[in-house]
Amino acid sequence: QSFITFATYCDQNVDNGKGGLEPRCQIDLVIDEIQDAWEWIYAIAQSSLANIFLAGGKYRIKADQLSTSMMLFTEGNVTDISFGYIPKRDRVSYIEATYTDRDLDYKREIVVTLDEAVTDVSQYVKETIEYTGVTRRSQVQRLSTYRINANKYLNRYVDWTSDIAAIRCEPG
């Protein structure tokens, strides 16, 4: 069921940046080299903002998107809790994304996405990423903008241990 839900999410129309609509995520890929299967799976998932994980003996996929809460974690059901902040020097604010552009006869292209709130160029933290199977510039721009915003706004973390009641929870 998770793969059907994910496919529906990917097929939703979004703005293509040119006044039209296009499916949110589309992977156009020819596998013509030997590579570990999990590396291919991870690369494809990364190119569509998804996570693939094992739950209940089955592989599941989940898009990184807004969803309803499954469980409330409080002092009553967690132990070994720790909080932290991700320093600005570790948060990406400049992405160089490589992809194969179908509109340019599948030529390799680079798209640069910047956090426009950063005014001093010496403060940029760069990440170079390859979007495997992505052939639309608009999708590259959406993915990179999402990553910039995630690095900008998700600046805290929490780590804890919970009892068996949390087994029904899943990443995402």
Side-chain angles (χ1 to χ4, degrees), residues 7 9 21 32 34 39 45 55 63 65 77-78 100 108-109 116 122 124 131 136 146 152 155 160 165-166 168:
Y9 170 77
L21 298 174
D32 59 357
I34 296 173
E39 289 180 32
Q65 66 178 24
N77 61 0
V78 300
T100 306
R108 304 285 294 157
E109 288 290 307
E116 295 177 7
S122 68
Y124 279 118
Y131 289 121
R136 298 175 299 164
Y146 182 91
K152 183 176 180 178
N155 54 20
W160 72 87
R168 65 189 173 102

Side-chain angles (χ1 to χ4, degrees), residues 18-63:
K18 299 175 185 174
L21 298 174
E22 67 184 11
R24 179 185 313 277
C25 300
Q26 181 175 322
I27 302 296
D28 299 313
L29 180 64
V30 174
I31 298 177
D32 59 357
E33 64 183 72
I34 296 173
Q35 188 170 309
D36 180 71
W38 277 111
E39 289 180 32
W40 282 114
I41 291 168
Y42 175 76
I44 292 168
Q46 181 179 353
S47 295
S48 54
L49 297 175
N51 291 306
I52 295 179
F53 55 94
L54 188 61
K58 295 180 181 179
Y59 289 99
R60 298 179 47 88
I61 189 166
K62 187 161 187 165

Side-chain angles (χ1 to χ4, degrees), residues 2-172:
S2 69
F3 285 89
I4 293 169
T5 302
F6 179 68
T8 302
Y9 170 77
C10 289
D11 289 341
Q12 290 173 348
N13 284 327
V14 294
D15 183 6
N16 68 0
K18 299 175 185 174
L21 298 174
E22 67 184 11
R24 179 185 313 277
C25 300
Q26 181 175 322
I27 302 296
D28 299 313
L29 180 64
V30 174
I31 298 177
D32 59 357
E33 64 183 72
I34 296 173
Q35 188 170 309
D36 180 71
W38 277 111
E39 289 180 32
W40 282 114
I41 291 168
Y42 175 76
I44 292 168
Q46 181 179 353
S47 295
S48 54
L49 297 175
N51 291 306
I52 295 179
F53 55 94
L54 188 61
K58 295 180 181 179
Y59 289 99
R60 298 179 47 88
I61 189 166
K62 187 161 187 165
D64 192 359
Q65 66 178 24
L66 184 64
S67 62
T68 56
S69 299
M70 294 183 71
M71 185 173 182
L72 178 63
F73 293 96
T74 67
E75 292 178 8
N77 61 0
V78 300
T79 58
D80 304 323
I81 191 165
S82 64
F83 302 88
Y85 290 90
I86 302 168
K88 275 195 166 193
R89 70 177 179 275
D90 295 339
R91 290 189 258 151
V92 173
S93 55
Y94 175 113
I95 292 178
E96 272 188 14
T98 306
Y99 76 107
T100 306
D101 193 320
R102 69 179 180 188
D103 294 333
L104 297 174
D105 199 28
Y106 296 95
K107 179 181 167 203
R108 304 285 294 157
E109 288 290 307
I110 296 175
V111 172
V112 173
T113 306
L114 305 171
D115 178 352
E116 295 177 7
V118 177
T119 55
D120 180 359
V121 294
S122 68
Q123 299 296 311
Y124 279 118
V125 178
K126 181 179 174 182
E127 177 182 42
T128 303
I129 189 166
E130 180 175 342
Y131 289 121
T132 302
V134 177
T135 60
R136 298 175 299 164
R137 182 180 192 89
S138 54
Q139 185 174 343
V140 170
Q141 290 171 321
R142 276 194 305 278
L143 292 166
S144 296
T145 299
Y146 182 91
R147 292 178 75 86
I148 291 283
N149 288 336
N151 275 279
K152 183 176 180 178
Y153 297 114
L154 302 177
N155 54 20
R156 293 177 280 180
Y157 67 88
V158 61
D159 189 24
W160 72 87
T161 303
S162 186
D163 63 15
I164 194 71
I167 200 163
R168 65 189 173 102
C169 296
E170 56 188 36

